[in-house]
């Protein structure tokens, strides 16, 4: 097909999905269209093949006709994504690519960060599919930051089917994708939430843009280089091995007892004879009792000597305390004057939590055990903590606010500034257990600390 792709001026759609095309075939295809000055291709579908490196970036750096590219279900990973992203960055003014599907490719945070950098300058992409990859909250936050510069992207699908532990990151991305709307009405807000719930409840297969079906070709010989992995992974057939549930030696299902293996009542084997003799001896000893019938005094119960060489040491007296950590990570705030959403810079909460945990582990040397509880800094959780009196020590990490006291998050990724100085004072003074230590890791921390002191 390469020679045909080099010369055609009329072909607009290429569908080579569900084959066994590798990197060599994919790269030959992309380079043929790259070197064809009259190429008019608008859609290329390479879904469910065996592609690791689809292109070195030169096709994407030069092409100005392709509108849809589907690379779902391959082995592209971060390196291949980096090449695609760099090509699109170099061609940001000319590319017309509007739909890019990259699900089921093993893309991690590094690949997602490369996509985010590309999105900062891209003005053509409207939809990206990223379902069933290995993206965590780190990659998702990079996408979120890129949306501050990108005003054209409208949809990112499959984010719920990754390893993003903070779901409100996904919710914030969804909201930012609506930033082109002048006013987000209550109806639109409700529609967004329903759409997010539906997407989160989708099965992994439903995140695919290209339906897989059961018509995949099965190779005669499966090898490492010619593996119909999509058929094996998505739709296991009759040849798929069932889980081993039985033991092979006597042919008895695991966890079940074969009655044919049970011994007869008068079995003369060595084990059975020994068991019967021991049972008879125990019965005779029981008849004798404490020696009341035979006149023999009962043996005194054996007690442990106080001067035992291996006397048990008493358990250490451990004092238990608790540290309450609130981490505030609002991802966006809404500028009412300009009607725009703006992202916050990112906090490395994982590193901070690890540092605190390592410090608390050293307290056991002083016979003190300090439990640590980490919660998102939502106003309702903060109020519940103050009312419960669960701890005398509070650690707050987040972003200060120049006019408010603490910058909380509202659970959906937005900034919540409802806690004023007066509100904080009421909460502190009504606390079940008075706070004795407050650690603030935040911008405007001096102002926040003074507010806690003034509150008592």
């Amino acid at each position: 097909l390469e020679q045909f792709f080099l010369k055609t001026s009329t072909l607009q759609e290429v569908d080579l999905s569900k084959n066994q095309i590798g990197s060599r075939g994919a790269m030959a295809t992309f380079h043929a269209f790259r070197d064809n000055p009259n190429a008019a291709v608008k859609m290329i579908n390479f879904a469910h093949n065996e592609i690791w490196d689809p292109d070195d970036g030169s096709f994407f750096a030069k092409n100005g006709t392709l509108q849809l590219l589907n690379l779902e279900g391959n082995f592209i990973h971060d390196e291949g994504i980096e090449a695609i992203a760099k090509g699109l960055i170099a061609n940001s003014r000319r590319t017309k690519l509007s739909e890019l599907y990259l699900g089921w490719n093993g893309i991690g945070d590094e690949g997602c960060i490369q996509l985010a950098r590309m999105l900062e300058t891209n003005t053509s992409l409207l939809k990206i599919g990223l379902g069933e990859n290995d993206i965590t909250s780190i990659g998702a936050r990079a996408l979120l930051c890129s949306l501050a510069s990108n005003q054209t992207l409208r949809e990112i699908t499959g984010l719920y089917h990754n390893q993003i532990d903070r779901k409100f990151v996904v919710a914030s991305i969804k909201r930012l994708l609506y930033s082109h709307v002048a006013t987000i009405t209550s109806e639109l807000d409700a529609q967004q939430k329903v759409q997010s719930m539906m997407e989160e409840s989708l099965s992994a297969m439903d995140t695919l843009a290209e339906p897989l079906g059961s018509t995949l070709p099965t190779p005669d010989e499966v090898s490492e280089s010619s593996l119909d992995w999509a058929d094996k992974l998505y739709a296991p057939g009759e040849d798929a091995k069932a889980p081993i549930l039985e033991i092979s030696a006597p042919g008895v299902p695991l966890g079940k007892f074969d009655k044919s293996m049970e011994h007869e009542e008068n079995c003369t084997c060595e084990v059975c004879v020994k068991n019967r003799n021991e049972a008879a001896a125990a019965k005779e000893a029981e008849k004798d009792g404490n020696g009341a019938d035979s006149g023999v005094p009962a043996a005194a119960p054996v007690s442990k000597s106080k001067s035992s060489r291996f006397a048990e040491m008493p358990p250490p007296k451990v004092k238990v305390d608790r540290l309450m950590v609130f981490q505030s990570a609002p991802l966006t705030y809404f500028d009412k004057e300009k009607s725009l959403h703006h992202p916050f810079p990112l906090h490395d909460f994982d590193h901070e939590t690890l540092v605190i945990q390592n410090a608390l582990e050293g307290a056991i040397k002083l016979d003190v055990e300090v439990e640590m509880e980490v919660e998102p800094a939502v106003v309702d959780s903060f109020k519940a903590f103050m009312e419960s009196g669960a701890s005398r020590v509070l650690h707050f990490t987040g972003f200060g606010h120049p006019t408010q006291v603490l910058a909380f998050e509202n659970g959906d990724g937005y900034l919540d500034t409802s806690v004023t100085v007066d509100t904080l004072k009421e909460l502190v003074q009504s606390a079940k257990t008075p706070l004795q230590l407050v650690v603030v890791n935040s911008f405007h921390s001096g102002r926040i600390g003074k507010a806690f002191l003034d509150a008592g």
Side-chain angles (χ1 to χ4, degrees):
L1 291 174
E2 180 183 5
Q3 295 303 315
F4 172 66
F5 293 153
L6 277 168
K7 299 177 181 178
T8 180
S9 60
T10 57
L11 183 65
Q12 295 187 359
E13 296 185 0
V14 178
D15 189 350
L16 294 171
S17 61
K18 303 175 186 176
N19 285 291
Q20 298 172 18
I21 299 171
S23 300
R24 184 180 177 186
M27 196 168 293
T29 300
F30 283 117
H31 286 187
F33 283 118
R34 177 200 63 188
D35 298 335
N36 182 352
N38 300 316
V41 63
K42 295 182 178 180
M43 187 276 284
I44 297 178
N45 187 358
F46 269 127
H48 312 299
N49 279 280
E50 302 172 14
I51 302 169
W52 290 78
D53 299 304
D55 181 47
D56 57 5
S58 58
F59 167 80
F60 297 97
K62 185 176 180 181
N63 181 267
T65 63
L66 188 65
Q67 298 177 10
L68 187 151
L69 175 61
N70 191 343
L71 293 171
E72 289 177 333
N74 284 284
F75 303 96
I76 296 177
H77 294 87
D78 294 342
E79 294 80 3
I81 297 301
E82 182 178 359
I84 295 173
K86 288 184 176 179
L88 290 173
I89 290 174
N91 194 22
S92 58
R93 295 185 178 181
R94 190 164 177 261
T95 180
K96 294 182 180 178
L97 186 64
S98 59
E99 295 183 46
L100 177 61
Y101 298 100
L102 299 170
W104 297 79
N105 268 296
I107 301 171
D109 289 330
E110 185 58 38
C112 194
I113 291 172
Q114 296 297 331
L115 286 175
R117 290 173 180 168
M118 177 269 296
L119 287 174
E120 291 177 358
T121 57
N122 184 274
T123 57
S124 65
L125 277 169
L126 300 176
K127 184 176 182 179
I128 298 180
L130 292 173
E132 289 300 317
N133 282 296
D134 300 321
I135 301 169
T136 70
S137 296
I138 297 173
R141 286 175 174 175
L143 283 178
L144 179 70
C145 289
S146 70
L147 294 179
S149 304
N150 186 299
Q151 302 296 323
T152 55
L153 189 65
R154 294 291 176 264
E155 188 176 2
I156 303 177
T157 63
L159 286 177
Y160 285 108
H161 292 78
N162 278 271
Q163 300 179 26
I164 303 172
D165 53 356
R166 289 180 175 261
K167 298 301 181 185
F168 63 81
V169 179
V170 182
S172 298
I173 290 174
K174 298 291 184 184
R175 284 179 175 268
L176 275 182
L177 291 174
Y178 281 86
S179 60
H180 63 285
V181 180
T183 303
I184 299 180
T185 62
S186 57
E187 292 81 5
L188 181 59
D189 189 53
Q191 182 182 348
Q192 283 181 265
K193 290 182 179 179
V194 171
Q195 184 178 352
S196 296
M197 289 174 62
M198 290 179 61
E199 183 176 341
E200 190 171 3
S201 63
L202 290 175
S203 66
M205 294 298 295
D206 291 333
T207 64
L208 293 170
E210 172 71 22
L212 194 61
S214 57
T215 58
L216 290 169
T218 303
D220 295 332
E221 293 185 8
V222 176
S223 64
E224 201 171 54
S225 60
S226 62
L227 175 63
D228 188 6
W229 68 274
D231 193 15
K232 300 292 183 184
L233 180 61
Y234 302 126
E238 295 179 357
D239 295 336
K241 292 184 179 179
I244 300 175
L245 299 177
E246 297 185 357
I247 54 177
S248 58
V252 181
L254 192 62
K256 293 186 177 181
F257 179 70
D258 188 359
K259 291 188 176 181
S260 64
M261 299 173 64
E262 190 173 4
H263 292 254
E264 297 289 340
E265 183 177 356
N266 297 320
C267 179
T268 58
C269 74
E270 183 179 350
V271 175
C272 290
V273 171
K274 182 179 179 181
N275 289 341
R276 286 199 294 270
N277 291 339
E278 290 178 353
K283 191 174 287 187
E284 287 295 327
E286 186 177 351
K287 282 183 180 181
D288 293 341
N290 291 336
D293 297 336
S294 60
V296 179
V302 179
S303 61
K304 291 184 179 180
S305 172
K306 290 184 179 180
S307 60
S308 172
R309 181 180 176 184
F310 301 104
E312 294 183 0
M313 295 293 293
K317 295 180 180 179
V318 177
K319 298 179 181 179
V320 179
D321 206 341
R322 175 176 292 179
L323 167 65
M324 189 68 196
V325 179
F326 279 105
Q327 295 177 335
S328 177
L331 299 170
T332 62
Y333 69 94
F334 185 68
D335 188 343
K336 294 181 180 179
E337 295 181 0
K338 299 181 180 179
S339 296
L340 290 176
H341 295 81
H342 299 286
F344 276 96
L346 307 180
H347 261 314
D348 191 352
F349 288 125
D350 294 336
H351 176 69
E352 181 193 53
T353 303
L354 182 62
V355 169
I356 297 175
Q357 285 177 339
N358 291 339
L360 295 182
E361 287 176 2
I364 198 66
K365 298 177 182 178
L366 305 174
D367 290 342
V368 176
E369 182 179 351
V370 182
E371 299 175 348
M372 182 174 70
E373 184 174 351
V374 182
E375 289 281 346
V378 183
V379 174
D380 291 341
S381 299
F382 183 73
K383 289 181 178 179
F385 158 71
M386 297 299 291
E387 293 171 359
S388 67
S391 175
R392 299 168 296 166
V393 183
L394 170 66
H395 181 105
F396 179 87
T397 301
F399 295 92
H401 193 274
T403 59
Q404 303 294 331
V405 181
L406 296 174
F408 288 92
E409 57 184 77
N410 68 349
D412 292 326
Y414 276 112
L415 177 69
D416 187 341
T417 58
S418 60
V419 176
T420 63
V421 175
D422 294 334
T423 308
L424 180 65
K425 189 172 184 179
E426 292 176 4
L427 288 172
V428 170
Q429 292 181 352
S430 63
K432 187 175 180 180
T433 301
L435 289 175
Q436 294 186 356
L437 173 64
V438 177
V439 180
V440 180
N441 179 16
S442 169
F443 294 104
H444 307 284
S445 57
R447 185 173 182 278
I448 297 172
K450 187 177 184 304
F452 272 101
L453 288 176
D454 293 342

